[in-house]
Amino acid sequence: MSDKAHINFNDQTYELPVIEGSENEKAIDISKLRGESGLITIDPGFKNTGSTKSEITFLDGEKGILRYRGYSIEDLAEKSSFIEVSYLLIYGDLPTPEQLSDFENEIKLHTLVHEDIKKILEGFPSNAHPMGVLSSLVTSLTAFYPKSLDPNRSAEAVDRSIIRILAKMPTFAAWAYKNEVGHPVNYPDNNLDYCSNFLKMMFSLPSENYDIDPVVANALDKLLILHADHEQNCSTSTVRIVGSSHASLYASISAGINALWGPLHGGANQAVIEMLENIKKDGGDTKKWMAKAKDKDDPFRLMGFGHRVYKNFDPRAKIIKKAADDVLEKLGVNDPILDIAKGLEEEALRDQYFVDRKLYPNVDFYSGIIYRALGIPVEMFTVMFAIGRLPGWIAQWKEMRENNEPIGRPRQVYTGHNVRPYPNK
Ligand code: CMC
């Protein structure tokens, strides 16, 4: 098979190399095309553009495959822990028991945040969205650890920044919530595992004992694993492109949090619950909302449906749907919006509009229902996604730096005015 592609333009033929990935994906390397022909390629939304070569995550949207570092998402969700998966994503292989225990202990050493960060937190009004608070607190780490500003320092210094952000993210997330409800913040409890510590900081009150429910902690751990990486999506590409200017890890992650926030990306989990609530309030007529979703004059979309890459099924959604049933049953929660969600899914899977466009439930269609059952308020859902996606962002930032990738700087086709004289006044 040829490993070259050819472009014919203005009676000239340009030969372009074709590169191949380890799963036989092929890509035309156009990096020299402009220099040779003056042509650029255009692809709004980067729907068909590879921005990098990466060894971290493989996904096949047609077959519904997702693997981190070669391990299937199904195996990891069933057998691994979020911290182990974080190690795998960031360092490339599963840790030995000793490496895992060292990694966990290192993280526990850094869960506390500087007391002055509380003053920053107190400056936010209580109605501030916790995603905005989270991204601000993450950026504030650059002030408390100024050496982290230089990503070209030693590998040890970069590792310290990685451990710090992994350790402090649950503290920030829980504190953003406490600020919202006007309660005093809780300090980390390093006797607990990652998820249990987060749950305690989030939910415990000074006046009460807080017992960790293992069903809740395990469900949360599984959700975080399912969100941990998803190759070059909007927020991850943001992290890589911000980091490509040699901005620090904390600045890059903070940018990723903001990119995740939108309802077409991580914000979809909040939007799904709000949509299901609206349908319920409106009398539960799913057909009416399906019709709205299909009406091109109506901006409404069925949130939690469709995916840029998955065109058959989202493997994470399959695992989450089952987990939602398990968790609700174990916790004895009867949530009427689960029935609405299942009804909508059934209708959509039979509907020609959705079938033709290959629109299936994505990871966020059922994740919000689990978060709700765990007692997590709706505006915190995207924050949960950010905690989950953190190791993926770190791994992608680290890979981009280690590969010494050039600064991200796309081109454009200019369609504005030609030069015109400035008017005499
Ligand atoms: N409801 C109704 N129609 C839809 C939907 C939807 N949820 N999603 C896509 N379509 C239609 C769209 O109108 C278009 O129709 P047509 O070809 O007639 O113009 C066609 O399907 C293709 O859609 P697109 O917007 O070109 O596809 P995209 O790849 O640019 O967008 C998406 C992908 C996920 C942004 C989109 O499907 C969407 O907005 N879904 C709802 C939001 C959502 O659930 N986002 C979470 C994504 S998963 C979590 C994550 O990784 O961030």
Side-chain angles (χ1 to χ4, degrees), residues 44-45 47 227 230 233-235 259-260 262-269 271-272 275 290 292-296 299-311 314 316 353-354 356-365 385 389:
K47 291 193 176 196
H227 284 92
H230 214 234
N233 54 80
C234 175
S235 58
L260 185 73
L264 297 192
H265 191 10
N269 52 16
V272 168
M275 172 188 80
M290 289 282 293
K292 272 168 76 62
K294 294 189 282 182
D295 180 355
K296 292 291 172 202
F300 174 75
R301 281 189 165 198
L302 207 53
M303 299 313 288
F305 261 77
H307 199 276
R308 171 61 61 79
V309 187
Y310 293 122
K311 298 298 174 197
D314 179 341
R316 305 165 301 172
Y353 173 98
F354 286 84
D356 287 348
R357 289 167 183 76
K358 301 187 172 178
L359 302 171
Y360 296 87
N362 58 50
V363 67
D364 283 331
F365 194 62
F385 192 155
R389 185 55 53 88

Short mmCIF file of all heavy atoms in Angstrom, two decimals, residues 44-45 47 227 230 233-235 259-260 262-269 271-272 275 290 292-296 299-311 314 316 353-354 356-365 385 389, ligand 1:
data_model
loop_
_atom_site.label_atom_id
_atom_site.label_comp_id
_atom_site.label_asym_id
_atom_site.label_seq_id
_atom_site.Cartn_x
_atom_site.Cartn_y
_atom_site.Cartn_z
N PRO A 44 -13.03 23.68 10.05
CA PRO A 44 -13.58 24.30 11.26
C PRO A 44 -13.98 23.24 12.29
O PRO A 44 -14.55 22.21 11.95
CB PRO A 44 -14.82 25.05 10.75
CG PRO A 44 -14.58 25.26 9.31
CD PRO A 44 -13.77 24.08 8.84
N GLY A 45 -13.64 23.49 13.53
CA GLY A 45 -13.94 22.53 14.60
C GLY A 45 -12.97 21.35 14.59
O GLY A 45 -13.16 20.40 15.34
N LYS A 47 -12.68 18.88 12.75
CA LYS A 47 -13.41 17.60 12.72
C LYS A 47 -12.59 16.49 12.09
O LYS A 47 -12.84 15.32 12.32
CB LYS A 47 -14.72 17.77 11.95
CG LYS A 47 -15.73 18.64 12.69
CD LYS A 47 -17.12 18.54 12.06
CE LYS A 47 -18.12 19.34 12.89
NZ LYS A 47 -19.51 19.02 12.62
N HIS A 227 -14.17 9.16 33.22
CA HIS A 227 -13.94 10.50 32.66
C HIS A 227 -12.45 10.84 32.51
O HIS A 227 -12.11 11.94 32.05
CB HIS A 227 -14.60 11.56 33.56
CG HIS A 227 -16.09 11.61 33.41
ND1 HIS A 227 -16.95 10.90 34.20
CD2 HIS A 227 -16.87 12.29 32.55
CE1 HIS A 227 -18.19 11.14 33.83
NE2 HIS A 227 -18.18 11.99 32.83
N HIS A 230 -9.89 11.36 27.28
CA HIS A 230 -10.68 11.11 26.07
C HIS A 230 -9.98 11.72 24.87
O HIS A 230 -10.59 12.36 24.03
CB HIS A 230 -12.10 11.66 26.24
CG HIS A 230 -13.10 10.82 25.52
ND1 HIS A 230 -13.97 11.32 24.61
CD2 HIS A 230 -13.32 9.49 25.56
CE1 HIS A 230 -14.71 10.33 24.13
NE2 HIS A 230 -14.33 9.21 24.69
N ASN A 233 -10.08 16.02 22.88
CA ASN A 233 -11.36 16.76 22.95
C ASN A 233 -11.10 18.25 23.19
O ASN A 233 -9.94 18.68 23.31
CB ASN A 233 -12.19 16.15 24.09
CG ASN A 233 -11.39 16.15 25.37
OD1 ASN A 233 -11.29 17.17 26.04
ND2 ASN A 233 -10.74 15.03 25.66
N CYS A 234 -12.17 19.02 23.34
CA CYS A 234 -12.04 20.49 23.44
C CYS A 234 -11.16 20.92 24.62
O CYS A 234 -10.23 21.71 24.45
CB CYS A 234 -13.45 21.07 23.55
SG CYS A 234 -13.51 22.82 23.83
N SER A 235 -11.42 20.38 25.81
CA SER A 235 -10.64 20.85 26.98
C SER A 235 -9.20 20.35 26.92
O SER A 235 -8.26 21.07 27.26
CB SER A 235 -11.30 20.43 28.29
OG SER A 235 -11.44 19.03 28.35
N ALA A 259 -12.59 25.43 29.48
CA ALA A 259 -13.08 24.84 28.22
C ALA A 259 -14.11 23.74 28.49
O ALA A 259 -15.06 23.55 27.74
CB ALA A 259 -11.90 24.27 27.42
N LEU A 260 -13.90 23.03 29.59
CA LEU A 260 -14.82 21.92 29.93
C LEU A 260 -16.20 22.43 30.32
O LEU A 260 -17.20 21.71 30.21
CB LEU A 260 -14.22 21.12 31.09
CG LEU A 260 -14.96 19.85 31.51
CD1 LEU A 260 -14.76 18.75 30.46
CD2 LEU A 260 -14.50 19.35 32.88
N GLY A 262 -18.44 24.49 29.22
CA GLY A 262 -19.56 24.73 28.29
C GLY A 262 -20.50 23.54 28.18
O GLY A 262 -20.08 22.38 28.30
N PRO A 263 -21.81 23.82 27.90
CA PRO A 263 -22.80 22.73 27.85
C PRO A 263 -22.61 21.76 26.70
O PRO A 263 -23.17 20.67 26.74
CB PRO A 263 -24.14 23.47 27.74
CG PRO A 263 -23.80 24.84 27.26
CD PRO A 263 -22.41 25.15 27.74
N LEU A 264 -21.82 22.13 25.68
CA LEU A 264 -21.58 21.15 24.61
C LEU A 264 -20.48 20.17 25.00
O LEU A 264 -20.25 19.19 24.31
CB LEU A 264 -21.21 21.86 23.30
CG LEU A 264 -22.27 22.76 22.71
CD1 LEU A 264 -21.90 23.17 21.29
CD2 LEU A 264 -23.65 22.10 22.70
N HIS A 265 -19.79 20.46 26.10
CA HIS A 265 -18.68 19.58 26.54
C HIS A 265 -19.05 19.08 27.94
O HIS A 265 -20.10 18.49 28.15
CB HIS A 265 -17.39 20.40 26.47
CG HIS A 265 -16.11 19.64 26.64
ND1 HIS A 265 -16.03 18.28 26.65
CD2 HIS A 265 -14.83 20.07 26.81
CE1 HIS A 265 -14.77 17.90 26.80
NE2 HIS A 265 -14.02 18.98 26.91
N GLY A 266 -18.23 19.35 28.95
CA GLY A 266 -18.47 18.80 30.29
C GLY A 266 -19.73 19.35 30.95
O GLY A 266 -20.32 18.68 31.81
N GLY A 267 -20.12 20.55 30.55
CA GLY A 267 -21.33 21.15 31.13
C GLY A 267 -22.59 20.40 30.75
O GLY A 267 -23.68 20.69 31.27
N ALA A 268 -22.46 19.42 29.83
CA ALA A 268 -23.65 18.67 29.40
C ALA A 268 -24.28 17.89 30.55
O ALA A 268 -25.50 17.72 30.59
CB ALA A 268 -23.29 17.72 28.26
N ASN A 269 -23.48 17.44 31.52
CA ASN A 269 -24.08 16.64 32.60
C ASN A 269 -25.07 17.46 33.42
O ASN A 269 -26.13 16.98 33.81
CB ASN A 269 -23.02 15.92 33.45
CG ASN A 269 -21.95 16.85 33.98
OD1 ASN A 269 -22.11 18.07 34.00
ND2 ASN A 269 -20.84 16.27 34.44
N ALA A 271 -26.59 20.14 32.14
CA ALA A 271 -27.68 20.47 31.20
C ALA A 271 -28.66 19.30 31.06
O ALA A 271 -29.86 19.51 30.87
CB ALA A 271 -27.08 20.85 29.84
N VAL A 272 -28.15 18.06 31.15
CA VAL A 272 -29.03 16.89 31.01
C VAL A 272 -30.06 16.88 32.15
O VAL A 272 -31.27 16.70 31.92
CB VAL A 272 -28.22 15.57 31.03
CG1 VAL A 272 -29.14 14.36 31.18
CG2 VAL A 272 -27.39 15.43 29.76
N MET A 275 -32.56 19.55 31.76
CA MET A 275 -33.51 19.19 30.69
C MET A 275 -34.53 18.15 31.19
O MET A 275 -35.74 18.31 30.98
CB MET A 275 -32.72 18.61 29.51
CG MET A 275 -33.56 18.04 28.41
SD MET A 275 -32.54 17.18 27.18
CE MET A 275 -32.25 15.60 27.99
N MET A 290 -38.76 15.48 21.94
CA MET A 290 -38.06 14.88 20.79
C MET A 290 -38.31 15.73 19.54
O MET A 290 -37.40 15.98 18.75
CB MET A 290 -38.61 13.47 20.52
CG MET A 290 -38.21 12.45 21.55
SD MET A 290 -36.54 11.91 21.29
CE MET A 290 -36.74 11.07 19.74
N LYS A 292 -39.01 18.91 19.43
CA LYS A 292 -38.23 20.15 19.55
C LYS A 292 -36.77 19.92 19.13
O LYS A 292 -36.16 20.73 18.45
CB LYS A 292 -38.24 20.62 21.03
CG LYS A 292 -39.42 21.52 21.38
CD LYS A 292 -39.53 21.70 22.90
CE LYS A 292 -38.52 22.66 23.51
NZ LYS A 292 -38.61 24.03 23.04
N ALA A 293 -36.21 18.78 19.58
CA ALA A 293 -34.80 18.49 19.28
C ALA A 293 -34.57 18.34 17.78
O ALA A 293 -33.50 18.65 17.26
CB ALA A 293 -34.36 17.22 20.01
N LYS A 294 -35.62 17.89 17.06
CA LYS A 294 -35.46 17.65 15.62
C LYS A 294 -35.78 18.89 14.79
O LYS A 294 -35.46 18.95 13.62
CB LYS A 294 -36.39 16.50 15.19
CG LYS A 294 -35.99 15.18 15.80
CD LYS A 294 -36.76 14.02 15.21
CE LYS A 294 -38.15 13.90 15.75
NZ LYS A 294 -38.89 12.76 15.22
N ASP A 295 -36.45 19.87 15.43
CA ASP A 295 -36.89 21.07 14.71
C ASP A 295 -35.70 22.01 14.51
O ASP A 295 -35.13 22.53 15.46
CB ASP A 295 -37.99 21.75 15.56
CG ASP A 295 -38.50 23.01 14.90
OD1 ASP A 295 -37.96 23.39 13.84
OD2 ASP A 295 -39.45 23.60 15.44
N LYS A 296 -35.34 22.24 13.25
CA LYS A 296 -34.15 23.05 12.97
C LYS A 296 -34.35 24.53 13.32
O LYS A 296 -33.38 25.28 13.41
CB LYS A 296 -33.75 22.91 11.49
CG LYS A 296 -33.24 21.54 11.13
CD LYS A 296 -31.89 21.25 11.79
CE LYS A 296 -31.47 19.82 11.62
NZ LYS A 296 -30.51 19.36 12.61
N PRO A 299 -33.63 26.01 18.86
CA PRO A 299 -32.23 25.76 19.26
C PRO A 299 -32.07 24.57 20.22
O PRO A 299 -30.95 24.13 20.47
CB PRO A 299 -31.84 27.07 19.97
CG PRO A 299 -33.14 27.69 20.40
CD PRO A 299 -34.19 27.22 19.44
N PHE A 300 -33.19 24.03 20.71
CA PHE A 300 -33.09 22.94 21.70
C PHE A 300 -32.43 21.70 21.09
O PHE A 300 -32.74 21.29 19.98
CB PHE A 300 -34.49 22.58 22.22
CG PHE A 300 -34.50 21.39 23.12
CD1 PHE A 300 -34.04 21.48 24.43
CD2 PHE A 300 -34.95 20.14 22.66
CE1 PHE A 300 -34.03 20.36 25.26
CE2 PHE A 300 -34.94 19.03 23.48
CZ PHE A 300 -34.48 19.15 24.78
N ARG A 301 -31.51 21.12 21.84
CA ARG A 301 -30.90 19.84 21.48
C ARG A 301 -31.12 18.86 22.61
O ARG A 301 -31.19 19.28 23.77
CB ARG A 301 -29.39 19.99 21.29
CG ARG A 301 -29.02 20.58 19.98
CD ARG A 301 -27.53 20.52 19.73
NE ARG A 301 -27.30 20.78 18.31
CZ ARG A 301 -26.19 20.50 17.66
NH1 ARG A 301 -25.18 19.94 18.30
NH2 ARG A 301 -26.07 20.76 16.38
N LEU A 302 -31.18 17.60 22.28
CA LEU A 302 -31.30 16.60 23.33
C LEU A 302 -29.95 16.48 24.02
O LEU A 302 -29.01 15.91 23.45
CB LEU A 302 -31.71 15.28 22.68
CG LEU A 302 -32.47 14.29 23.53
CD1 LEU A 302 -33.70 14.92 24.15
CD2 LEU A 302 -32.87 13.10 22.69
N MET A 303 -29.84 17.07 25.20
CA MET A 303 -28.55 17.07 25.88
C MET A 303 -28.19 15.65 26.30
O MET A 303 -29.07 14.87 26.68
CB MET A 303 -28.58 18.01 27.09
CG MET A 303 -28.86 19.45 26.74
SD MET A 303 -27.89 20.09 25.36
CE MET A 303 -26.28 20.22 26.08
N GLY A 304 -26.90 15.34 26.23
CA GLY A 304 -26.47 13.97 26.56
C GLY A 304 -26.57 13.03 25.37
O GLY A 304 -26.36 11.83 25.51
N PHE A 305 -26.93 13.59 24.21
CA PHE A 305 -27.00 12.78 23.00
C PHE A 305 -26.03 13.31 21.96
O PHE A 305 -25.86 14.51 21.82
CB PHE A 305 -28.42 12.82 22.40
CG PHE A 305 -29.20 11.60 22.77
CD1 PHE A 305 -29.74 11.50 24.04
CD2 PHE A 305 -29.35 10.56 21.89
CE1 PHE A 305 -30.44 10.37 24.41
CE2 PHE A 305 -30.05 9.42 22.25
CZ PHE A 305 -30.59 9.32 23.52
N GLY A 306 -25.43 12.38 21.22
CA GLY A 306 -24.53 12.76 20.14
C GLY A 306 -23.10 12.87 20.64
O GLY A 306 -22.85 13.08 21.83
N HIS A 307 -22.19 12.67 19.74
CA HIS A 307 -20.78 12.78 20.09
C HIS A 307 -19.99 13.02 18.83
O HIS A 307 -20.32 12.46 17.78
CB HIS A 307 -20.28 11.51 20.80
CG HIS A 307 -19.03 11.76 21.55
ND1 HIS A 307 -17.80 11.72 20.96
CD2 HIS A 307 -18.84 12.09 22.85
CE1 HIS A 307 -16.89 12.01 21.87
NE2 HIS A 307 -17.48 12.25 23.02
N ARG A 308 -18.96 13.86 18.94
CA ARG A 308 -18.14 14.14 17.76
C ARG A 308 -17.48 12.87 17.23
O ARG A 308 -17.34 12.67 16.03
CB ARG A 308 -17.08 15.18 18.12
CG ARG A 308 -16.01 15.43 17.08
CD ARG A 308 -16.54 15.94 15.76
NE ARG A 308 -17.24 17.20 15.87
CZ ARG A 308 -16.66 18.41 15.96
NH1 ARG A 308 -15.36 18.50 15.94
NH2 ARG A 308 -17.38 19.49 16.05
N VAL A 309 -17.10 11.98 18.11
CA VAL A 309 -16.32 10.83 17.66
C VAL A 309 -17.13 9.52 17.66
O VAL A 309 -17.04 8.73 16.72
CB VAL A 309 -15.06 10.65 18.54
CG1 VAL A 309 -14.16 9.58 17.97
CG2 VAL A 309 -14.29 11.96 18.64
N TYR A 310 -17.92 9.27 18.71
CA TYR A 310 -18.67 8.01 18.76
C TYR A 310 -19.86 8.06 17.82
O TYR A 310 -20.72 8.94 17.96
CB TYR A 310 -19.17 7.72 20.17
CG TYR A 310 -18.05 7.43 21.14
CD1 TYR A 310 -17.88 8.21 22.27
CD2 TYR A 310 -17.16 6.40 20.91
CE1 TYR A 310 -16.84 7.96 23.16
CE2 TYR A 310 -16.12 6.15 21.78
CZ TYR A 310 -15.97 6.93 22.90
OH TYR A 310 -14.94 6.69 23.76
N LYS A 311 -19.91 7.14 16.87
CA LYS A 311 -21.01 7.14 15.92
C LYS A 311 -21.73 5.78 15.96
O LYS A 311 -22.40 5.40 15.02
CB LYS A 311 -20.48 7.41 14.50
CG LYS A 311 -19.81 8.79 14.36
CD LYS A 311 -20.76 9.96 14.63
CE LYS A 311 -20.05 11.29 14.62
NZ LYS A 311 -20.79 12.39 15.23
N ASP A 314 -21.35 5.01 22.83
CA ASP A 314 -20.28 5.51 23.70
C ASP A 314 -20.08 4.44 24.78
O ASP A 314 -20.99 4.18 25.57
CB ASP A 314 -20.74 6.85 24.29
CG ASP A 314 -19.73 7.48 25.25
OD1 ASP A 314 -18.85 6.74 25.74
OD2 ASP A 314 -19.84 8.68 25.52
N ARG A 316 -18.56 4.37 27.45
CA ARG A 316 -18.69 4.87 28.82
C ARG A 316 -20.15 4.94 29.21
O ARG A 316 -20.52 4.68 30.36
CB ARG A 316 -18.03 6.26 28.93
CG ARG A 316 -16.59 6.29 28.49
CD ARG A 316 -16.10 7.71 28.28
NE ARG A 316 -16.87 8.43 27.28
CZ ARG A 316 -16.75 9.72 27.01
NH1 ARG A 316 -15.88 10.45 27.68
NH2 ARG A 316 -17.48 10.30 26.08
N TYR A 353 -34.49 10.38 12.69
CA TYR A 353 -33.60 11.54 12.76
C TYR A 353 -32.32 11.17 13.52
O TYR A 353 -31.20 11.44 13.07
CB TYR A 353 -34.33 12.69 13.47
CG TYR A 353 -33.47 13.92 13.76
CD1 TYR A 353 -33.49 15.03 12.93
CD2 TYR A 353 -32.66 13.97 14.90
CE1 TYR A 353 -32.71 16.15 13.20
CE2 TYR A 353 -31.87 15.08 15.18
CZ TYR A 353 -31.91 16.17 14.33
OH TYR A 353 -31.13 17.27 14.61
N PHE A 354 -32.49 10.53 14.66
CA PHE A 354 -31.33 10.18 15.49
C PHE A 354 -30.54 9.03 14.87
O PHE A 354 -29.31 9.03 14.91
CB PHE A 354 -31.78 9.84 16.92
CG PHE A 354 -32.18 11.06 17.69
CD1 PHE A 354 -33.46 11.61 17.57
CD2 PHE A 354 -31.27 11.72 18.50
CE1 PHE A 354 -33.81 12.77 18.25
CE2 PHE A 354 -31.61 12.88 19.18
CZ PHE A 354 -32.89 13.40 19.05
N ASP A 356 -30.34 8.31 11.60
CA ASP A 356 -29.61 8.81 10.43
C ASP A 356 -28.34 9.56 10.83
O ASP A 356 -27.33 9.50 10.15
CB ASP A 356 -30.49 9.79 9.62
CG ASP A 356 -31.58 9.05 8.86
OD1 ASP A 356 -31.50 7.81 8.78
OD2 ASP A 356 -32.52 9.73 8.37
N ARG A 357 -28.42 10.30 11.91
CA ARG A 357 -27.27 11.13 12.32
C ARG A 357 -26.35 10.42 13.32
O ARG A 357 -25.42 11.00 13.85
CB ARG A 357 -27.77 12.45 12.92
CG ARG A 357 -28.35 13.36 11.87
CD ARG A 357 -29.12 14.50 12.46
NE ARG A 357 -29.73 15.32 11.40
CZ ARG A 357 -30.81 14.99 10.70
NH1 ARG A 357 -31.40 13.83 10.93
NH2 ARG A 357 -31.28 15.78 9.75
N LYS A 358 -26.68 9.14 13.58
CA LYS A 358 -25.86 8.32 14.49
C LYS A 358 -25.71 9.01 15.85
O LYS A 358 -24.60 9.18 16.37
CB LYS A 358 -24.50 8.02 13.88
CG LYS A 358 -24.64 7.27 12.57
CD LYS A 358 -23.30 6.82 12.05
CE LYS A 358 -23.55 5.92 10.86
NZ LYS A 358 -22.46 5.41 10.18
N LEU A 359 -26.84 9.42 16.40
CA LEU A 359 -26.83 10.11 17.71
C LEU A 359 -27.24 9.11 18.79
O LEU A 359 -28.34 8.57 18.76
CB LEU A 359 -27.80 11.29 17.69
CG LEU A 359 -27.56 12.36 16.62
CD1 LEU A 359 -28.71 13.35 16.56
CD2 LEU A 359 -26.24 13.09 16.89
N TYR A 360 -26.34 8.88 19.72
CA TYR A 360 -26.56 7.91 20.80
C TYR A 360 -26.32 8.61 22.14
O TYR A 360 -25.67 9.66 22.19
CB TYR A 360 -25.57 6.73 20.67
CG TYR A 360 -25.80 5.96 19.41
CD1 TYR A 360 -25.18 6.34 18.22
CD2 TYR A 360 -26.66 4.87 19.39
CE1 TYR A 360 -25.41 5.65 17.04
CE2 TYR A 360 -26.89 4.17 18.22
CZ TYR A 360 -26.27 4.56 17.04
OH TYR A 360 -26.51 3.87 15.89
N PRO A 361 -26.81 8.02 23.24
CA PRO A 361 -26.51 8.65 24.54
C PRO A 361 -25.01 8.67 24.76
O PRO A 361 -24.31 7.70 24.43
CB PRO A 361 -27.17 7.72 25.56
CG PRO A 361 -28.03 6.79 24.80
CD PRO A 361 -27.58 6.78 23.38
N ASN A 362 -24.51 9.78 25.28
CA ASN A 362 -23.08 9.86 25.58
C ASN A 362 -22.86 9.72 27.09
O ASN A 362 -23.81 9.53 27.85
CB ASN A 362 -22.46 11.15 25.01
CG ASN A 362 -23.14 12.40 25.56
OD1 ASN A 362 -23.30 12.54 26.76
ND2 ASN A 362 -23.54 13.30 24.66
N VAL A 363 -21.60 9.83 27.51
CA VAL A 363 -21.23 9.58 28.90
C VAL A 363 -22.07 10.41 29.88
O VAL A 363 -22.33 9.99 31.01
CB VAL A 363 -19.72 9.87 29.09
CG1 VAL A 363 -19.40 11.35 28.93
CG2 VAL A 363 -19.18 9.36 30.40
N ASP A 364 -22.51 11.59 29.42
CA ASP A 364 -23.18 12.50 30.35
C ASP A 364 -24.67 12.26 30.47
O ASP A 364 -25.33 12.91 31.27
CB ASP A 364 -22.90 13.95 29.94
CG ASP A 364 -21.51 14.35 30.35
OD1 ASP A 364 -21.02 13.80 31.35
OD2 ASP A 364 -20.89 15.17 29.65
N PHE A 365 -25.23 11.37 29.66
CA PHE A 365 -26.68 11.19 29.72
C PHE A 365 -27.10 10.59 31.07
O PHE A 365 -28.10 10.98 31.64
CB PHE A 365 -27.16 10.32 28.56
CG PHE A 365 -28.65 10.39 28.37
CD1 PHE A 365 -29.27 11.58 28.07
CD2 PHE A 365 -29.44 9.25 28.50
CE1 PHE A 365 -30.65 11.66 27.91
CE2 PHE A 365 -30.81 9.31 28.34
CZ PHE A 365 -31.42 10.52 28.04
N PHE A 385 -16.63 16.21 36.82
CA PHE A 385 -16.01 15.83 35.54
C PHE A 385 -14.56 16.35 35.52
O PHE A 385 -13.63 15.64 35.10
CB PHE A 385 -16.85 16.45 34.41
CG PHE A 385 -16.57 15.96 33.01
CD1 PHE A 385 -17.56 16.03 32.03
CD2 PHE A 385 -15.34 15.43 32.64
CE1 PHE A 385 -17.32 15.59 30.72
CE2 PHE A 385 -15.10 14.99 31.34
CZ PHE A 385 -16.09 15.08 30.39
N ARG A 389 -11.21 14.31 34.86
CA ARG A 389 -10.41 14.54 33.66
C ARG A 389 -8.98 15.01 33.99
O ARG A 389 -8.10 14.99 33.13
CB ARG A 389 -11.14 15.55 32.75
CG ARG A 389 -10.54 15.85 31.40
CD ARG A 389 -10.29 14.63 30.52
NE ARG A 389 -11.41 13.75 30.30
CZ ARG A 389 -12.31 13.85 29.33
NH1 ARG A 389 -12.23 14.82 28.47
NH2 ARG A 389 -13.28 12.94 29.19
N1 CMC B 1 -29.96 16.75 19.58
C1 CMC B 1 -30.48 16.97 18.36
N2 CMC B 1 -29.77 17.02 17.21
C2 CMC B 1 -28.43 16.82 17.32
C3 CMC B 1 -27.81 16.59 18.57
C4 CMC B 1 -28.62 16.55 19.72
N3 CMC B 1 -28.08 16.33 20.92
N4 CMC B 1 -26.47 16.43 18.38
C5 CMC B 1 -26.27 16.57 17.05
N5 CMC B 1 -27.45 16.80 16.42
C6 CMC B 1 -27.65 16.95 14.96
C7 CMC B 1 -27.19 18.30 14.46
O1 CMC B 1 -28.24 19.25 14.47
C8 CMC B 1 -26.71 17.96 13.08
O2 CMC B 1 -27.85 17.80 12.27
P1 CMC B 1 -27.81 18.20 10.69
O3 CMC B 1 -26.83 17.25 10.07
O4 CMC B 1 -29.22 18.00 10.22
O5 CMC B 1 -27.36 19.63 10.62
C9 CMC B 1 -26.10 16.57 13.22
O6 CMC B 1 -26.79 15.98 14.34
C10 CMC B 1 -24.60 16.57 13.48
O7 CMC B 1 -24.36 17.40 14.64
P2 CMC B 1 -23.09 18.33 14.82
O8 CMC B 1 -23.44 19.43 15.76
O9 CMC B 1 -22.56 18.71 13.47
O10 CMC B 1 -22.06 17.32 15.47
P3 CMC B 1 -20.76 17.72 16.28
O11 CMC B 1 -19.85 16.56 16.15
O12 CMC B 1 -20.27 19.06 15.85
O13 CMC B 1 -21.30 17.89 17.78
C11 CMC B 1 -21.93 17.39 20.01
C12 CMC B 1 -21.18 16.90 18.74
C13 CMC B 1 -21.63 16.45 21.17
C14 CMC B 1 -21.45 18.81 20.38
C15 CMC B 1 -23.45 17.42 19.69
O14 CMC B 1 -23.91 16.11 19.39
C16 CMC B 1 -24.27 18.02 20.83
O15 CMC B 1 -24.44 19.24 20.89
N6 CMC B 1 -24.79 17.17 21.79
C17 CMC B 1 -25.49 17.68 22.96
C18 CMC B 1 -24.48 18.14 24.01
C19 CMC B 1 -23.79 16.98 24.71
O16 CMC B 1 -24.42 16.04 25.14
N7 CMC B 1 -22.46 17.12 24.86
C20 CMC B 1 -21.66 16.14 25.62
C21 CMC B 1 -20.66 15.44 24.76
S1 CMC B 1 -19.97 14.01 25.63
C22 CMC B 1 -19.07 14.67 26.93
C23 CMC B 1 -17.79 15.22 26.46
O17 CMC B 1 -16.88 14.45 26.12
O18 CMC B 1 -17.67 16.46 26.48
#
